[in-house]
Amino acid sequence: MQLLLKGGRLVDPPTGRDEALDILIHDGRIERTGTNLSASAAQVIELKGKIIAPGFIDMHVHFREPGFEYKESIASGCAAAAAGGFTAVCCMPNTNPPIDDESIVHFIHARARVALGGLVNVYPIGAVTAGRKGEHLAPLAELAAAGAVGFSDDGDPVHDAELMRRALEYSTMFKRPIIQHAQDPALTKGGVANEGYPSASLGLPPIPRVGEEIMIARDIRLAEYTGGQYHAAHVSVAETLDHIRNAKAKGLHVTCEVTPHHFTMTDDALSTFDTNTKMNPPLRTREDVEAMKAGLKEGVIDVIATDHAPHSYDEKEVEFAQAPFGIIGLETALGLAVTELVRKNILSLYQLVEKLSTNPRQLLHLPPIAVAEGEQANLTLFDPAAEWIVDPSSFKSRARNTPFGGTRLWGKPIGILNNGLALWC
Ligand SMILES: [Zn+2]
């Protein structure tokens, strides 16, 4: 089985290349690269004006298996990832049972191997604390040995400073980041919306921005004290970025990610009472959205990750205060990023690929993807100019909880290649 990718533009941050390149693939391996390649037996994919990138990874998704398969299974989640142009994802441990035991890591690997034939790599993130209860550490070494690529109690913060300290210290032994859902629970408890005019006028219990900032500031001090590796999940307020910027300037091993909804939407959207505008951290202000964009451009924000959080229709079809937090994101991430960032000259396509592929792989200590002869093809192909309207009914995800239905976007995946397989979107 030969495949000839013809006339595409390779955007490849690991080698610094940004050039037109033909790629001949044989049985999932890159056989030849060059210009004006031909192969009589090959299926030819014309990619003029289209982008070839090392495979995208979404380092923050919630696949609900085991425990809540009615929301999303590993199979349906992998289908959503592939449709969104991702060849890999990292799944968070707030399942039931949680990923706090090596057997759950093996279970997820086994499920991922049979989802779409193993097209999408699923990298489990282990829990920081046993049962995600915040009381004592999970068996981090055992989880890492089984294949957990990082640790997080995401959905909840690791709020005990002593536990965070131990986790940061301990995880340096096996080179895994501690990924924090940064929120001081004492400050944010009971809140459902950003503290501000919209929450006050709508009568929604507030989540103050300082709740995020305080936890980030504390954790950065602990990362400095221990020399540990710290990654802040889904940053949402401008002040957080000041702390991250300072940490990086000091040379600490501190990174962060932002979701597409936090660089796209503000808490003004809450006036619709649409429960698909309820997420955690909440939508913030216009100034915060602008700060997220500036942070991406400057490089303070390393990664774009979706926080893909599937819920069933019934669960979201309730009063705002009662609805669960979160929206799905895998199938709209590329379109939102191209529309909001690339077309508005916040990021170049090269920088976009860094944030969707190179940077997350690097901070997770995954080997860089080599687009080179003899290497396995792990590629995301996309059309940055394709215009489309989001239609949740066509999603591969089992869930439909998105506020972006009906939105016009630019930038669409064409297909992915990984593990000897290909899928065309
Ligand atoms: Zn979270």
Side-chain angles (χ1 to χ4, degrees), residues 60 62 92 94 152-156 180-182 233-234 257 280-281 307:
H60 190 148
H62 298 273
M92 285 293 176
N94 59 339
S152 181
D153 276 358
D154 186 62
D156 296 300
Q180 173 75 307
H181 176 120
H234 45 49
E257 73 193 28
N280 190 8
D307 194 8

Side-chain angles (χ1 to χ4, degrees), residues 63-77 95-97 107 111 310 312 398-399:
F63 289 174
R64 305 301 195 181
E65 187 173 1
F68 310 97
E69 291 82 352
Y70 67 95
K71 296 175 193 258
E72 191 88 284
S73 64
I74 289 165
S76 65
T95 48
N96 186 21
F107 168 83
R111 277 286 197 267
S312 74
R398 192 163 280 171

Side-chain angles (χ1 to χ4, degrees), residues 221-234:
R221 276 296 292 132
L222 290 170
E224 183 171 19
Y225 185 61
T226 58
Q229 186 189 349
Y230 178 77
H231 178 79
H234 45 49

Side-chain angles (χ1 to χ4, degrees), residues 227-246:
Q229 186 189 349
Y230 178 77
H231 178 79
H234 45 49
V235 296
S236 69
V237 297
E239 296 86 339
T240 291
L241 299 185
D242 297 334
H243 292 282
I244 306 253
R245 184 183 298 108
N246 290 339

